[in-house]
Amino acid sequence: MSIPAKNPKISFTIMNELVLPNDTNTLNNLMGGRLLHWMDIAAAISAQKHCNNIVVTASVDNVSFQHPIKLGDVITIEAQVTRAFTTSVEVRLSVWAENIPSGSRVKSNEAYYTFVAIDQNSKTIPVPAIKPETEDEQTLFDGALRRRQLRLVLAGRMKAKDATELKALFSE
């Protein structure tokens, strides 16, 4: 039985959080671990929307903190599935920090999370494919295979010589 493909926008998720004193370090900046926790929740919601099933976090790509998020800021996390593989999905996240009194809004983080769909017995299950409709969705979809191969090479689950998409980048 074939699972119908889905458009990425079905998985689009927006999550907002207010940075409170308990979320900050001694410099009144949001603690990185708290942000990663919120990002994981937003990404899981997005992945579950796509898979219509339970998902578990398989990997988190490099997360760079480009801009500090301050006490009192409102963060907005946007998450969307970019590509589906056999039993896993890649989710792209963008994090925005907004200081409501000043009206300033800045992008502070971006990352990719990978989730695996599982059944009630913790066995992996197939996920619906992605059918990109916009140019941006197609660009993210195309890049997902390279990002996946890089993840697998770095995790020791794929030999670099077998990462054909990555090799193609360097031979152009």
Side-chain angles (χ1 to χ4, degrees), residues 53-56 87 116-125 127:
N53 218 305
I54 298 166
V55 297
V56 293
T87 60
V116 175
I118 59 170
D119 65 15
Q120 296 297 333
N121 299 313
S122 298
K123 302 288 184 206
T124 59
I125 57 172
V127 300

Side-chain angles (χ1 to χ4, degrees), residues 6-13 49 80-81 133-134 137:
K6 292 184 173 183
N7 181 278
K9 67 181 161 223
I10 291 170
S11 68
F12 184 68
T13 300
K49 282 180 168 183
Q80 184 169 305
V81 173
E133 291 182 347
T134 68
E137 290 171 352

